[in-house]
Amino acid sequence: MPLSATQALTAPQTRKRRGRGQLVPALLFLAPAILGFLAFFAWPAMRGLYLSFTDYNLLSDPQWVGLENYQQIAGDPVFWRSLAVTMQYVVINIVVQTVIALGLAVLLHRFTRSMVIRGIVMLPYLIANVIVALVWYWLADYNLGLINSALDAIGLDRIGFFGDAQFAMTTIALVNVWRHLGYTTLLIFAGLQAIPRDVYEAASVDGAGEWRTFWSITLPLLRPVLAFVLVVTVVGSFQIFDTIAVTTQGGPVDATNAITYYIYDRAFTRFDFGYASALSVILMFILAVIALVQMRAFRAGQSDLER
């Protein structure tokens, strides 16, 4: 039934009053999240930014030094070494994890509906990082580990997975791939569920095989989800810490001294909180730039289904 002239004039005012009435309940629901954001993110971030311009060691008040910390970082060989080590970890972790997770998600989506198999894939992600690191540290031990015992039994040389600078960071990256693979697979699997079935049926009618369907339909339509997965996994990879702290403590010879472990070392071992804060600010800007480039490059806000 069409609205009368009076109803048409009063309708916007009614909606505005209703909106004001819903504002208070909305703010009450948002209050815990807003307080948590202010207390655990906004304030620490502002405090860290301030400390990055100071000389601070917990035992005295912060002394303002301007850009001195950033100038020291520019000439710090350990910083550049830790950045290179972190990049090595990120590349191994992202490439191996994304490729395997994509393959697993496609197989789960196309060939099985079993909740048991999905649960098995997710199982490593439910184990705490520290426990995973300790278990793999024992399995890969040079003298007592099962992996080296197996290599010895078939006549191959033992490998110092965590003790050899050539293998240490690769081993840590693969341990974290094993732990996070289920989570990444689940994200991609959720993206596959959003692709309409009739698209696959049309491709099947046209005679497209599994390989052609994957490259021409699955991968293009999965692009926004893959962009999200890459942003999340890259940011998470730059924050690698617990596995290194449990297994190698940055060694051997700084081979696993990632940027986060270097920040921890400067702050809580040498009590140089000003310098550590400057390192943290630089890491934050690096991650922001990488995330922005990834979102733009993969056109994360657009889907080919909308064309």
Side-chain angles (χ1 to χ4, degrees):
M1 178 184 297
L3 295 175
S4 65
T6 305
Q7 288 175 322
L9 288 173
T10 57
Q13 297 176 353
T14 304
R15 283 197 295 270
K16 190 178 293 184
R17 282 197 297 272
R18 189 180 303 159
R20 282 199 294 267
Q22 293 173 345
L23 180 61
V24 174
L27 288 176
L28 288 176
F29 279 111
L30 288 173
I34 294 174
L35 289 175
F37 174 80
L38 294 175
F40 300 110
F41 181 80
W43 169 247
M46 296 301 295
R47 176 74 172 167
L49 182 62
Y50 163 71
L51 290 178
S52 71
F53 296 103
T54 67
D55 180 13
Y56 181 47
N57 61 8
L58 279 182
L59 301 177
S60 60
D61 292 334
Q63 300 294 320
W64 184 266
V65 294
L67 296 174
E68 185 177 319
N69 288 327
Y70 293 96
Q71 292 170 344
Q72 288 184 15
I73 290 172
D76 184 355
V78 180
F79 165 72
W80 294 108
R81 168 69 174 164
S82 66
L83 203 57
V85 166
T86 306
M87 290 302 300
Q88 178 192 355
Y89 170 82
V90 170
V91 169
I92 297 172
N93 190 43
I94 297 303
V95 171
V96 176
Q97 186 178 161
T98 305
V99 170
I100 298 177
L102 179 61
L104 271 177
V106 171
L107 289 175
L108 289 175
H109 181 252
R110 299 288 287 167
F111 300 113
T112 180
R113 300 285 179 186
S114 171
M115 294 299 293
V116 175
I117 294 177
R118 294 179 195 175
I120 292 173
V121 172
M122 274 296 294
L123 193 59
Y125 187 69
L126 304 179
I127 307 172
N129 262 348
V130 172
I131 295 175
V132 169
L134 286 173
V135 168
W136 280 102
Y137 190 60
W138 174 74
L139 288 172
D141 183 82
Y142 186 83
N143 295 310
L144 304 174
L146 292 178
I147 298 175
N148 272 314
S149 296
L151 291 176
D152 205 18
I154 60 176
L156 298 176
D157 293 335
R158 290 174 178 261
I159 298 174
F161 289 101
F162 290 99
D164 189 328
Q166 184 180 356
F167 298 105
M169 185 48 89
T170 303
T171 302
I172 289 174
L174 294 179
V175 167
N176 281 287
V177 166
W178 180 83
R179 198 252 170 182
H180 293 92
L181 185 62
Y183 176 71
T184 307
T185 301
L186 186 66
L187 290 176
I188 298 175
F189 182 79
L192 289 171
Q193 297 282 74
I195 300 176
R197 283 278 174 188
D198 54 359
V199 178
Y200 287 109
E201 292 169 359
S204 178
V205 169
D206 290 341
E210 290 292 337
W211 191 246
R212 177 65 184 275
T213 302
F214 172 77
W215 285 106
S216 301
I217 295 177
T218 303
L219 207 53
L221 296 182
L222 206 56
R223 179 175 42 75
V225 176
L226 287 177
F228 171 76
V229 167
L230 284 174
V231 170
V232 170
T233 52
V234 167
V235 171
S237 297
F238 267 91
Q239 298 174 29
I240 173 67
F241 176 79
D242 36 19
T243 308
I244 293 174
V246 169
T247 56
T248 62
Q249 291 87 44
V253 288
D254 284 344
T256 60
N257 190 20
I259 183 70
T260 48
Y261 196 81
Y262 184 44
I263 292 171
Y264 163 80
D265 179 55
R266 294 300 297 234
F268 296 100
T269 303
R270 309 185 201 184
F271 297 102
D272 193 353
F273 284 88
Y275 195 87
S277 297
L279 289 169
S280 301
V281 171
I282 291 174
L283 178 60
M284 182 184 70
F285 276 106
I286 290 174
L287 292 179
V289 170
I290 290 176
L292 182 62
V293 169
Q294 284 181 311
M295 297 294 282
R296 290 290 182 89
F298 287 94
R299 293 182 290 124
Q302 304 172 13
S303 171
D304 290 348
L305 284 172
E306 298 169 354
R307 293 181 178 178

Coordinates of all heavy atoms in Angstrom, one line a residue, residues 9-73:
L9 N 6.4 12.0 5.1 CA 7.2 13.1 5.7 C 7.7 12.6 7.1 O 8.8 13.0 7.5 CB 6.3 14.3 5.9 CG 6.0 15.1 4.6 CD1 5.0 16.2 4.9 CD2 7.3 15.7 4.0
T10 N 6.9 11.8 7.8 CA 7.4 11.4 9.1 C 8.3 10.2 9.1 O 8.9 9.9 10.2 CB 6.1 11.1 10.0 OG1 5.3 10.1 9.4 CG2 5.3 12.4 10.2
A11 N 8.3 9.4 8.0 CA 9.1 8.2 8.0 C 10.6 8.4 8.3 O 11.2 7.7 9.1 CB 8.9 7.5 6.7
P12 N 11.3 9.4 7.7 CA 12.7 9.6 8.0 C 12.9 10.0 9.4 O 13.9 9.5 10.0 CB 13.1 10.8 7.0 CG 12.1 10.8 6.0 CD 10.8 10.3 6.6
Q13 N 12.0 10.8 10.0 CA 12.2 11.1 11.4 C 12.0 9.9 12.3 O 12.7 9.8 13.3 CB 11.1 12.2 11.8 CG 11.3 13.5 11.0 CD 10.2 14.5 11.4 OE1 9.2 14.2 12.1 NE2 10.3 15.7 10.8
T14 N 11.1 9.0 12.0 CA 10.9 7.8 12.7 C 12.1 6.9 12.7 O 12.6 6.4 13.7 CB 9.7 7.0 12.2 OG1 8.5 7.8 12.2 CG2 9.4 5.8 13.1
R15 N 12.7 6.8 11.5 CA 13.9 6.0 11.3 C 15.1 6.6 12.1 O 15.9 5.9 12.7 CB 14.3 5.9 9.8 CG 13.4 4.9 9.1 CD 14.1 4.5 7.8 NE 14.2 5.6 6.9 CZ 13.3 6.0 6.0 NH1 12.2 5.3 5.9 NH2 13.5 7.0 5.2
K16 N 15.2 8.0 12.1 CA 16.2 8.6 12.9 C 16.1 8.4 14.4 O 17.1 8.1 15.1 CB 16.2 10.1 12.6 CG 17.4 10.9 13.1 CD 17.4 12.3 12.7 CE 17.5 12.5 11.2 NZ 17.5 14.0 10.8
R17 N 14.8 8.5 14.9 CA 14.6 8.2 16.3 C 14.9 6.8 16.7 O 15.5 6.5 17.7 CB 13.2 8.5 16.7 CG 12.9 10.0 16.8 CD 11.6 10.2 17.6 NE 10.4 9.7 16.9 CZ 9.7 10.3 16.0 NH1 10.0 11.6 15.7 NH2 8.7 9.8 15.4
R18 N 14.6 5.9 15.8 CA 14.8 4.4 16.0 C 16.3 4.2 16.0 O 16.9 3.4 16.8 CB 14.2 3.6 14.9 CG 14.2 2.1 15.2 CD 13.5 1.3 14.1 NE 12.2 1.8 13.9 CZ 11.5 1.6 12.8 NH1 12.1 1.0 11.7 NH2 10.2 2.0 12.7
G19 N 17.1 4.9 15.1 CA 18.5 4.7 15.0 C 19.2 5.2 16.3 O 20.1 4.6 16.8
R20 N 18.7 6.4 16.8 CA 19.3 6.9 18.1 C 19.0 6.0 19.2 O 19.8 5.8 20.1 CB 18.7 8.3 18.4 CG 19.3 9.4 17.5 CD 19.1 10.8 18.2 NE 17.7 11.1 18.2 CZ 17.1 11.8 17.2 NH1 17.8 12.3 16.2 NH2 15.8 12.1 17.2
G21 N 17.8 5.4 19.2 CA 17.4 4.4 20.3 C 18.3 3.2 20.3 O 18.5 2.6 21.3
Q22 N 18.8 2.8 19.1 CA 19.6 1.6 19.0 C 21.1 1.9 19.2 O 21.9 1.0 19.3 CB 19.5 1.0 17.6 CG 18.1 0.4 17.3 CD 17.9 0.0 15.9 OE1 18.7 0.3 15.0 NE2 16.9 -0.8 15.6
L23 N 21.5 3.2 19.3 CA 22.9 3.6 19.4 C 23.4 3.1 20.8 O 24.5 2.6 20.9 CB 23.0 5.1 19.3 CG 24.5 5.6 19.4 CD1 25.3 5.0 18.3 CD2 24.5 7.2 19.3
V24 N 22.7 3.3 21.9 CA 23.1 3.0 23.2 C 23.4 1.5 23.3 O 24.5 1.1 23.8 CB 22.2 3.5 24.3 CG1 22.6 3.1 25.7 CG2 22.1 5.1 24.2
P25 N 22.4 0.6 23.0 CA 22.7 -0.8 23.1 C 23.9 -1.2 22.2 O 24.7 -2.1 22.6 CB 21.4 -1.5 22.5 CG 20.3 -0.4 22.8 CD 21.0 0.9 22.6
A26 N 24.0 -0.6 21.0 CA 25.2 -1.0 20.2 C 26.5 -0.6 20.8 O 27.4 -1.4 20.8 CB 25.0 -0.2 18.8
L27 N 26.5 0.6 21.5 CA 27.8 1.0 22.1 C 28.1 0.1 23.3 O 29.2 -0.2 23.6 CB 27.6 2.4 22.6 CG 27.7 3.5 21.5 CD1 27.5 4.9 22.1 CD2 29.0 3.4 20.7
L28 N 27.0 -0.4 24.0 CA 27.2 -1.3 25.2 C 27.8 -2.6 24.7 O 28.7 -3.2 25.3 CB 25.9 -1.5 25.9 CG 25.4 -0.4 26.7 CD1 24.0 -0.7 27.3 CD2 26.4 0.0 27.8
F29 N 27.3 -3.1 23.6 CA 27.9 -4.4 23.0 C 29.3 -4.2 22.5 O 30.1 -5.1 22.6 CB 27.0 -4.9 21.9 CG 25.8 -5.6 22.3 CD1 24.5 -5.1 22.2 CD2 25.9 -6.9 22.9 CE1 23.4 -5.8 22.6 CE2 24.8 -7.6 23.4 CZ 23.5 -7.0 23.2
L30 N 29.6 -3.0 22.0 CA 31.0 -2.7 21.5 C 31.9 -2.4 22.5 O 33.2 -2.4 22.3 CB 30.9 -1.6 20.4 CG 30.2 -1.9 19.1 CD1 30.1 -0.7 18.2 CD2 31.1 -3.0 18.3
A31 N 31.4 -2.0 23.7 CA 32.3 -1.4 24.8 C 33.5 -2.4 25.1 O 34.6 -2.0 25.2 CB 31.5 -1.0 26.0
P32 N 33.2 -3.7 25.4 CA 34.3 -4.6 25.7 C 35.4 -4.6 24.7 O 36.6 -4.6 25.0 CB 33.7 -6.0 25.9 CG 32.2 -5.6 26.2 CD 31.9 -4.4 25.4
A33 N 35.0 -4.7 23.4 CA 36.0 -4.7 22.3 C 36.8 -3.4 22.2 O 38.0 -3.4 22.0 CB 35.3 -5.0 21.0
I34 N 36.0 -2.3 22.4 CA 36.7 -1.0 22.3 C 37.7 -0.8 23.4 O 38.8 -0.4 23.2 CB 35.7 0.2 22.3 CG1 34.8 0.1 21.0 CG2 36.4 1.5 22.4 CD1 33.7 1.1 21.0
L35 N 37.3 -1.2 24.7 CA 38.2 -1.1 25.8 C 39.4 -2.0 25.6 O 40.6 -1.6 25.9 CB 37.4 -1.5 27.1 CG 36.4 -0.5 27.6 CD1 35.7 -1.0 28.8 CD2 37.1 0.8 27.9
G36 N 39.2 -3.2 25.1 CA 40.3 -4.1 24.9 C 41.3 -3.5 23.8 O 42.5 -3.6 24.0
F37 N 40.7 -2.9 22.8 CA 41.5 -2.3 21.7 C 42.4 -1.2 22.3 O 43.6 -1.1 22.0 CB 40.6 -1.8 20.6 CG 41.4 -1.1 19.5 CD1 42.1 -1.8 18.5 CD2 41.4 0.3 19.5 CE1 42.8 -1.1 17.6 CE2 42.1 1.0 18.5 CZ 42.8 0.3 17.6
L38 N 41.7 -0.3 23.1 CA 42.4 0.8 23.7 C 43.5 0.4 24.6 O 44.6 0.9 24.6 CB 41.5 1.8 24.3 CG 40.5 2.5 23.4 CD1 39.5 3.3 24.3 CD2 41.2 3.4 22.4
A39 N 43.2 -0.6 25.5 CA 44.1 -1.0 26.6 C 45.3 -1.9 26.0 O 46.4 -1.8 26.5 CB 43.3 -1.8 27.6
F40 N 45.0 -2.8 25.1 CA 46.0 -3.8 24.7 C 46.6 -3.5 23.3 O 47.5 -4.2 22.9 CB 45.4 -5.2 24.7 CG 44.9 -5.6 26.1 CD1 43.5 -5.7 26.3 CD2 45.8 -5.8 27.1 CE1 43.0 -6.1 27.6 CE2 45.3 -6.1 28.4 CZ 44.0 -6.3 28.6
F41 N 46.1 -2.5 22.6 CA 46.7 -2.2 21.3 C 47.0 -0.7 21.1 O 48.2 -0.4 20.9 CB 45.8 -2.6 20.1 CG 46.4 -2.4 18.8 CD1 47.3 -3.2 18.2 CD2 46.0 -1.2 18.1 CE1 47.9 -3.0 17.0 CE2 46.6 -1.0 16.8 CZ 47.5 -1.8 16.3
A42 N 46.0 0.1 21.3 CA 46.2 1.6 21.0 C 47.3 2.2 22.0 O 48.2 2.8 21.6 CB 44.9 2.3 21.1
W43 N 47.0 2.0 23.3 CA 48.0 2.5 24.3 C 49.4 1.9 24.2 O 50.4 2.7 24.2 CB 47.4 2.4 25.7 CG 48.4 2.7 26.8 CD1 48.9 1.9 27.7 CD2 49.0 4.0 27.0 NE1 49.8 2.5 28.5 CE2 49.9 3.8 28.1 CE3 48.9 5.3 26.4 CZ2 50.6 4.9 28.6 CZ3 49.6 6.3 26.9 CH2 50.5 6.1 28.0
P44 N 49.5 0.6 24.2 CA 50.9 0.0 24.0 C 51.6 0.5 22.7 O 52.8 0.7 22.7 CB 50.7 -1.5 24.0 CG 49.4 -1.7 24.7 CD 48.6 -0.5 24.4
A45 N 50.8 0.7 21.6 CA 51.4 1.1 20.4 C 51.9 2.6 20.5 O 53.0 2.9 20.0 CB 50.4 1.0 19.2
M46 N 51.1 3.4 21.1 CA 51.5 4.8 21.3 C 52.7 4.9 22.2 O 53.6 5.7 22.0 CB 50.3 5.7 21.8 CG 49.1 5.8 20.9 SD 49.6 6.5 19.3 CE 50.0 8.1 19.8
R47 N 52.7 4.1 23.3 CA 53.8 4.1 24.3 C 55.0 3.6 23.6 O 56.1 4.1 23.8 CB 53.4 3.1 25.4 CG 54.5 2.9 26.5 CD 54.7 4.1 27.3 NE 55.6 3.8 28.4 CZ 56.1 4.7 29.2 NH1 55.8 6.0 29.0 NH2 56.9 4.4 30.2
G48 N 54.9 2.5 22.8 CA 56.1 2.0 22.1 C 56.7 3.0 21.1 O 57.9 3.1 20.9
L49 N 55.8 3.7 20.4 CA 56.2 4.8 19.5 C 57.0 5.8 20.2 O 58.1 6.3 19.7 CB 55.0 5.4 18.7 CG 55.4 6.4 17.7 CD1 56.2 5.8 16.6 CD2 54.1 7.0 17.1
Y50 N 56.5 6.2 21.4 CA 57.2 7.3 22.2 C 58.6 6.7 22.6 O 59.6 7.4 22.5 CB 56.4 7.7 23.4 CG 57.1 8.4 24.5 CD1 57.6 9.7 24.3 CD2 57.4 7.7 25.7 CE1 58.4 10.3 25.3 CE2 58.1 8.3 26.7 CZ 58.6 9.6 26.5 OH 59.3 10.3 27.4
L51 N 58.6 5.5 23.2 CA 59.9 4.9 23.7 C 60.9 4.7 22.6 O 62.1 4.7 22.9 CB 59.6 3.6 24.3 CG 58.8 3.6 25.7 CD1 58.6 2.2 26.2 CD2 59.6 4.4 26.7
S52 N 60.4 4.6 21.3 CA 61.4 4.4 20.2 C 62.3 5.7 20.0 O 63.3 5.6 19.4 CB 60.7 4.1 18.9 OG 60.0 5.2 18.4
F53 N 61.9 6.8 20.6 CA 62.7 8.0 20.5 C 63.4 8.3 21.8 O 63.8 9.5 22.0 CB 61.7 9.2 20.1 CG 61.1 9.1 18.8 CD1 59.7 8.8 18.7 CD2 61.8 9.3 17.6 CE1 59.1 8.7 17.5 CE2 61.2 9.2 16.4 CZ 59.9 8.9 16.3
T54 N 63.5 7.3 22.6 CA 64.2 7.5 23.9 C 65.2 6.5 24.2 O 65.3 5.5 23.5 CB 63.1 7.4 25.1 OG1 62.6 6.1 25.2 CG2 61.9 8.4 24.8
D55 N 66.0 6.8 25.3 CA 67.0 5.8 25.8 C 66.3 5.3 27.1 O 66.3 6.1 28.1 CB 68.3 6.4 26.0 CG 69.3 5.4 26.6 OD1 69.0 4.2 26.6 OD2 70.4 5.9 27.1
Y56 N 65.9 4.1 27.2 CA 65.1 3.6 28.4 C 65.5 2.2 28.7 O 65.6 1.3 27.9 CB 63.6 3.6 28.0 CG 62.7 3.2 29.1 CD1 62.9 3.7 30.4 CD2 61.7 2.3 28.9 CE1 62.0 3.4 31.4 CE2 60.8 1.9 29.9 CZ 61.0 2.4 31.2 OH 60.2 2.1 32.2
N57 N 65.8 2.0 30.0 CA 66.3 0.7 30.5 C 65.6 0.2 31.7 O 66.1 -0.7 32.4 CB 67.8 0.8 30.8 CG 68.1 1.8 31.9 OD1 67.2 2.3 32.5 ND2 69.4 2.0 32.1
L58 N 64.4 0.7 32.0 CA 63.5 0.3 33.1 C 64.0 0.8 34.5 O 63.2 1.0 35.4 CB 63.4 -1.2 33.3 CG 62.4 -2.0 32.3 CD1 62.4 -3.5 32.7 CD2 61.0 -1.4 32.5
L59 N 65.3 1.1 34.7 CA 65.8 1.5 35.9 C 65.8 3.0 36.1 O 66.1 3.5 37.2 CB 67.3 1.0 36.1 CG 67.4 -0.5 36.1 CD1 68.8 -0.9 36.2 CD2 66.6 -1.2 37.2
S60 N 65.6 3.8 35.0 CA 65.6 5.2 35.1 C 64.5 5.7 34.1 O 64.0 5.0 33.3 CB 66.9 5.8 34.7 OG 67.3 5.4 33.4
D61 N 64.2 7.0 34.2 CA 63.1 7.6 33.3 C 63.7 7.6 31.9 O 64.9 7.7 31.7 CB 62.8 9.0 33.8 CG 62.1 9.0 35.1 OD1 61.4 8.0 35.5 OD2 62.2 10.0 35.9
P62 N 62.7 7.5 30.9 CA 63.2 7.6 29.5 C 63.8 8.9 29.2 O 63.3 10.0 29.6 CB 61.8 7.4 28.7 CG 60.9 6.8 29.7 CD 61.3 7.2 31.1
Q63 N 64.9 8.9 28.5 CA 65.6 10.1 28.1 C 65.5 10.3 26.6 O 65.8 9.4 25.8 CB 67.2 10.0 28.4 CG 67.5 9.8 29.9 CD 67.1 11.0 30.7 OE1 67.3 12.1 30.3 NE2 66.5 10.7 31.9
W64 N 64.9 11.4 26.2 CA 64.6 11.7 24.8 C 65.9 11.8 24.0 O 66.8 12.6 24.3 CB 63.8 13.0 24.6 CG 63.4 13.3 23.2 CD1 64.1 14.1 22.3 CD2 62.3 12.9 22.6 NE1 63.5 14.1 21.1 CE2 62.3 13.4 21.2 CE3 61.2 12.1 22.9 CZ2 61.3 13.1 20.3 CZ3 60.2 11.8 22.0 CH2 60.3 12.3 20.7
V65 N 66.0 11.0 22.9 CA 67.2 11.0 22.1 C 66.9 11.2 20.6 O 67.8 11.1 19.7 CB 68.0 9.6 22.2 CG1 68.5 9.5 23.6 CG2 67.1 8.5 21.8
G66 N 65.6 11.6 20.3 CA 65.2 11.8 18.9 C 65.4 10.6 18.0 O 64.9 9.5 18.4
L67 N 66.0 10.8 16.9 CA 66.1 9.7 15.9 C 67.4 8.8 16.1 O 67.7 8.1 15.2 CB 66.2 10.3 14.5 CG 64.9 11.0 14.0 CD1 65.1 11.7 12.7 CD2 63.7 10.1 14.0
E68 N 68.0 9.0 17.2 CA 69.3 8.3 17.4 C 69.2 6.7 17.3 O 70.0 6.1 16.7 CB 69.9 8.6 18.8 CG 71.3 8.0 19.0 CD 71.8 8.5 20.4 OE1 71.6 9.7 20.7 OE2 72.4 7.6 21.1
N69 N 68.1 6.2 17.9 CA 67.9 4.7 17.8 C 67.7 4.3 16.3 O 68.3 3.3 15.9 CB 66.6 4.3 18.5 CG 66.8 4.4 20.0 OD1 67.9 4.2 20.5 ND2 65.8 4.8 20.8
Y70 N 67.0 5.1 15.5 CA 66.8 4.7 14.1 C 68.1 4.8 13.3 O 68.3 4.0 12.4 CB 65.7 5.6 13.5 CG 64.3 5.3 14.1 CD1 63.8 6.1 15.1 CD2 63.5 4.3 13.6 CE1 62.6 5.9 15.7 CE2 62.3 4.0 14.2 CZ 61.8 4.8 15.2 OH 60.6 4.6 15.8
Q71 N 68.9 5.8 13.7 CA 70.2 5.9 13.0 C 71.1 4.8 13.3 O 71.8 4.2 12.4 CB 70.9 7.3 13.4 CG 70.1 8.5 12.9 CD 70.7 9.8 13.5 OE1 71.4 9.8 14.5 NE2 70.3 10.9 12.9
Q72 N 71.1 4.3 14.6 CA 71.9 3.1 14.9 C 71.4 1.9 14.2 O 72.2 1.0 13.8 CB 71.8 2.9 16.4 CG 72.6 3.9 17.3 CD 72.6 3.6 18.7 OE1 72.2 2.5 19.2 NE2 72.9 4.6 19.6
I73 N 70.1 1.7 14.1 CA 69.5 0.6 13.4 C 70.0 0.5 12.0 O 70.3 -0.6 11.4 CB 68.0 0.6 13.5 CG1 67.5 0.3 14.9 CG2 67.3 -0.4 12.6 CD1 66.0 0.5 15.1

